[in-house]
Amino acid sequence: MTVTFQDIEAARDRIRGQVDHTPTRHSRRLSELTGAEVWVKFDNLHFTGSFKERGALNRLMLLDADERKRGVVAASAGNHAQALAYHGGRLGIPVTIVVPEGTPFVKIDGTRRHGARVVIEGADFTGSTAEAHRLRDEEGFVFISAFDDEGIVAGQGVCAMEFLEDAPDLEEMIIPIGGGGLIAGCSIAAEAIRPELQVHGVEAAMYPSFTARRRGETPKCGGATIAEGIAIKAVGDIPFALADPRVKEVFVCQEAEFEKAVAFYATLEKTVAEGAGAGGLAALLANPDRFKGRKVGLVLCGGNIDARMLAVVLNREMVRERRLIVYRILGDDRPGMLSAMAAVIGGLGGNIIDVVHNRLALDVPAKGAEFDIMVETRDSAHADDIASALKDKGYELRMG
């Protein structure tokens, strides 16, 4: 089995006019932050919110008349599901999707809105795949893998063709790896168009399946990652065979790095990225010296993140930057105590978000209280200034 650049060119002709050519933009803010020259391809702006549309449509258009009538089934954490559902609906092909338990609601709802039958089964992608195979065997569907399929890989390679048309001087490209379909297709296209370009991958530390297979090791995968779109326990056989000889480095990123990347896309680029979609930026932020001065392309491959999770990530990043901080103050439980502390904080421009009194902690005197005051600050130095002022007033405190 193989996929050639000619297959990718044919896929582009096949899907032309039915899938958006997403924009590529040079990011001055991310370039200043990292020391690299950063271009971002905004695949989060596809109609279904991720890069998956190219591969899904290409694969659906390769079905024969009998296969179209029987319909297709797939296992997906959400993005492949939405892409198949949308384009299957357009083409009149019945689509059944099996999603793992815990898949973000935004992805499940999007899949149903496009008319697909959704089955929630399996603790993870592996369990969902087993159920999809059962449905294939029992109901006669055509199984379409989210990544381990030549037609899918060829379609995903169109992403790199577009990227290099819009940013032809790229020296590095960083692409998230789950099952490997995107990086396999893009590495083939990049090799044909710009052989000197280095393609890199990024995986979540909880699911380093490509890295483990490259080392000849059994991957140790599991856990609830924010990058659920690449939470795959085993990279696909076809994508791995195609990508392994073409991919330079694979970076394994921690949860905090994915969170930071999601937050930076929101605050600096004013765009929404899901955890997996922000993987390229996570790798760049974690390895700035590796890419300093280089022309780097990041595929922002998806933006389907629950609003609640996005809010959590943004608030957690504020905590990391100490722009949201809790001052725990031990003091007397008497009238005016809280207003006096608030006066110190407000006098220095701190914005009090929340206050919690704890009168039952046994390490606090019976006539005392523990005050947890959550404050929004400008930055870490501002947080320290407020702490110093509180201490100067005689308050015993610690910062959370």
Side-chain angles (χ1 to χ4, degrees):
M1 293 185 181
T2 188
V3 176
T4 66
F5 182 58
Q6 289 69 37
D7 294 324
I8 296 172
E9 290 181 308
R12 184 171 194 180
D13 291 340
R14 197 173 290 120
I15 68 177
R16 192 186 305 275
Q18 301 180 73
V19 175
D20 293 330
H21 179 133
T22 55
T24 295
R25 300 190 183 112
H26 178 256
S27 173
R28 286 179 289 177
R29 290 184 178 274
L30 294 179
S31 297
E32 291 171 358
L33 179 68
T34 63
E37 287 297 319
V38 181
W39 278 260
V40 179
K41 181 159 181 60
F42 289 85
D43 266 9
N44 60 330
L45 298 181
H46 279 294
F47 181 68
T48 61
S50 88
F51 77 96
K52 290 286 190 177
E53 286 194 30
R54 301 184 189 92
L57 178 57
N58 185 57
R59 184 64 181 86
L60 286 169
M61 294 184 74
L62 291 170
L63 296 173
D64 61 31
D66 176 65
E67 291 171 329
R68 289 188 177 211
K69 183 178 180 180
R70 285 156 49 197
V72 301
V73 66
S76 170
N79 288 334
H80 180 59
Q82 291 185 82
L84 272 183
Y86 171 57
H87 288 291
R90 288 180 51 250
L91 299 173
I93 301 171
V95 175
T96 297
I97 300 294
V98 185
V99 302
E101 299 166 6
T103 296
F105 295 136
V106 65
K107 295 182 179 182
I108 294 175
D109 291 345
T111 303
R112 285 178 171 149
R113 280 200 305 272
H114 295 311
R117 167 192 173 193
V118 176
V119 177
I120 301 174
E121 183 68 36
D124 53 25
F125 183 79
T126 302
S128 296
T129 300
E131 176 64 11
H133 286 163
R134 187 188 69 79
L135 292 171
R136 173 200 60 193
D137 296 340
E138 290 190 2
E139 301 190 32
F141 298 131
V142 176
F143 176 77
I144 297 183
S145 170
F147 46 83
D148 206 13
D149 182 290
E150 292 168 291
I152 292 289
V153 171
Q156 310 308 18
V158 177
C159 173
M161 291 184 68
E162 294 178 4
F163 207 162
L164 289 169
E165 284 180 7
D166 297 337
D169 297 330
L170 289 180
E171 297 171 307
E172 319 270 354
M173 190 179 293
I174 311 178
I175 299 172
I177 301 176
L182 179 61
I183 199 167
C186 286
S187 63
I188 294 167
E191 181 181 64
I193 298 168
R194 186 171 168 80
E196 64 272 31
L197 185 150
Q198 295 184 343
V199 176
H200 309 280
V202 55
E203 294 186 295
M206 293 183 185
Y207 293 85
S209 61
F210 191 103
T211 300
R213 185 163 178 176
R214 180 174 258 193
R215 294 174 178 171
E217 301 171 353
T218 300
K220 296 179 181 179
C221 299
T225 174
I226 189 177
E228 79 284 334
I230 54 173
I232 307 297
K233 290 184 176 180
V235 63
D237 293 338
I238 293 171
F240 182 80
L242 295 168
D244 185 43
R246 295 179 170 91
V247 172
K248 180 71 174 177
E249 294 178 78
V250 178
F251 301 97
V252 177
C253 289
Q254 303 295 325
E255 290 299 291
E257 292 161 345
F258 283 101
E259 291 181 30
K260 182 181 289 291
V262 169
F264 279 13
Y265 269 129
T267 56
L268 300 181
E269 285 300 313
K270 315 304 180 188
T271 194
V272 174
E274 61 186 90
L281 179 56
L284 178 58
L285 293 171
N287 301 276
D289 293 341
R290 168 64 180 78
F291 297 101
K292 188 174 182 180
R294 303 285 287 175
K295 297 176 181 177
V296 180
L298 306 178
V299 179
L300 197 179
C301 58
N304 291 316
I305 185 171
D306 279 336
R308 180 190 64 82
M309 182 53 61
L310 178 59
V312 168
V313 169
L314 293 175
N315 281 327
R316 284 168 63 90
E317 188 58 28
M318 289 183 70
V319 172
R320 288 191 183 94
E321 296 176 356
R322 301 182 73 224
R323 293 188 295 126
L324 196 62
I325 192 165
V326 174
Y327 299 96
R328 174 162 291 176
I329 302 174
L330 304 180
D332 298 333
D333 188 12
R334 54 182 171 77
M337 185 73 173
L338 181 57
S339 63
M341 292 184 289
V344 176
I345 295 169
L348 286 176
N351 181 30
I352 296 176
I353 303 297
D354 191 23
V355 178
V356 176
H357 295 77
N358 183 2
R359 297 178 174 86
L360 300 180
L362 297 181
D363 58 347
V364 176
K367 290 187 176 181
E370 189 176 69
F371 302 85
D372 282 350
I373 306 178
M374 183 180 292
V375 179
E376 182 183 4
T377 69
R378 292 188 298 273
D379 50 33
S380 184
H382 187 209
D384 288 338
D385 289 342
I386 293 173
S388 295
L390 288 167
K391 289 177 181 177
D392 289 344
K393 290 291 185 180
Y395 297 115
E396 181 183 348
L397 80 156
R398 70 173 182 84
M399 292 182 290

